[in-house]
Amino acid sequence: MSKAEVRGAISLSIDLELAIGRQTSFGQQRLEEITAGLIELLDQQGLCATWGVSNPALSAATEPILAANTRQEIAVLGERFWLGDGTPPTRLAQEFERRFEGARRAGIPISTLILRQNEEHLNLNLLLRHGVAAIRGPGIAASQEEANSRALPMRYGIWQVQNSILIPLRGAWWQAEPWAFGCRLKEAAKTGTPLHLVLDAGQMADHSDLALPAIGVVLRRLGQLQARQELSFSTVGEQARLHLRRRIAQPSRSVLAA
């Protein structure tokens, strides 16, 4: 059994952009500090992640992420201002060309699209034309009811990460959300339930300490579980390739249909 197939398969994705309207020079500086801090923490624990950036070829974060000691994946972070239902088809095609093909022309392998909001009517032909093999929807709280869903659907050769769990940025372990998050980790380690974790770097920037101490505690715990082979980390792209080899696509009216 390969490392990617051991029970307790985990992927971690990071939404590495500030919210629209908060992209000030001060905010960008804090985002750079968060990026450097997360790379250091991931390297310390030997963990990989999938980093969503708006335009990989132009992002200042791309180079340091790919230079990390542990393997990392770059993904396109899709946001409503260019990906939403109201975007004209011609502009949408231009945005996909700029973000996906622009990354490939810059030598950046890219096949994952991360969504900040649910987008129910993505253009299938556009996704396939630009080599999108995996889609991750917005993260949800571990305590939400739908977080119990374990379906891992594949539609038209595109693997979809469902019910990604947000890593809580504050709170003691006995409080509702950190406690629910801890239960998800225990379940993944005990039963082999796949788990997909999400870090919102934009929200981290709102914390005085950038939430790095709290995230460091979580990543150290994950590193220990990986070292004991109770969990196995892989990028979203790696998990997509594994599932695409093993699953047969079933037709669906929406590319994001469950």
Side-chain angles (χ1 to χ4, degrees), residues 41-74:
L41 289 170
L42 291 168
D43 277 347
Q44 288 173 355
Q45 301 303 322
L47 302 176
C48 59
T50 297
W51 302 69
V53 297
S54 183
N55 191 333
L58 300 180
S59 174
T62 296
E63 185 175 351
I65 289 169
L66 295 180
N69 294 330
T70 49
R71 72 190 186 285
Q72 307 293 322
E73 177 189 18
I74 298 291

Side-chain angles (χ1 to χ4, degrees), residues 100 137 182 228:
F100 281 91
R228 296 199 298 264

Side-chain angles (χ1 to χ4, degrees), residues 42-247:
L42 291 168
D43 277 347
Q44 288 173 355
Q45 301 303 322
L47 302 176
C48 59
T50 297
W51 302 69
V53 297
S54 183
N55 191 333
L58 300 180
S59 174
T62 296
E63 185 175 351
I65 289 169
L66 295 180
N69 294 330
T70 49
R71 72 190 186 285
Q72 307 293 322
E73 177 189 18
I74 298 291
V76 169
L77 181 63
E79 301 192 77
R80 188 151 289 172
F81 77 91
W82 66 266
L83 190 62
D85 290 344
T87 305
T90 52
R91 184 194 170 191
L92 192 58
Q94 291 171 351
E95 295 288 357
F96 268 81
E97 171 70 24
R98 186 161 67 96
R99 296 166 198 275
F100 281 91
E101 303 311 320
R104 294 183 181 116
R105 286 191 293 270
I108 305 165
I110 195 152
S111 61
T112 299
L113 173 64
I114 289 176
L115 302 177
R116 267 195 163 166
Q117 297 90 21
N118 283 313
E119 304 291 350
E120 296 294 336
H121 302 288
L122 292 175
N123 185 300
L124 174 62
N125 290 330
L126 201 56
L127 295 171
L128 295 176
R129 188 183 312 145
H130 291 285
V132 177
I135 297 175
R136 193 224 78 196
I140 63 173
S143 56
Q144 286 185 237
E145 182 74 19
E146 56 265 40
N148 288 309
S149 173
R150 298 179 184 179
L152 295 174
M154 187 179 75
R155 297 290 184 266
Y156 300 104
I158 299 175
W159 184 63
Q160 301 162 47
V161 179
Q162 285 198 322
N163 295 335
S164 301
I165 305 301
L166 285 164
I167 298 178
L169 301 181
R170 61 160 59 95
W173 67 267
W174 62 83
Q175 294 177 315
E177 189 55 29
W179 182 84
F181 179 78
C183 289
R184 303 290 173 203
L185 292 185
K186 290 178 182 177
E187 181 184 21
K190 182 178 180 180
T191 68
T193 305
L195 193 60
H196 306 276
L197 308 179
V198 176
L199 262 180
D200 189 329
Q203 290 187 6
M204 292 175 66
D206 293 335
H207 292 246
S208 59
D209 59 2
L210 304 178
L212 287 170
I215 297 306
V217 171
V218 174
L219 294 183
R220 281 192 291 275
R221 183 178 178 188
L222 292 170
Q224 292 166 357
L225 290 169
Q226 178 173 251
R228 296 199 298 264
Q229 297 187 336
E230 296 179 51
L231 297 176
S232 174
F233 261 79
S234 52
T235 66
V236 171
E238 289 170 342
Q239 290 208 357
R241 288 189 289 273
L242 176 64
H243 284 280
L244 290 170
R245 286 197 300 266
R246 297 191 307 189
R247 298 172 67 92

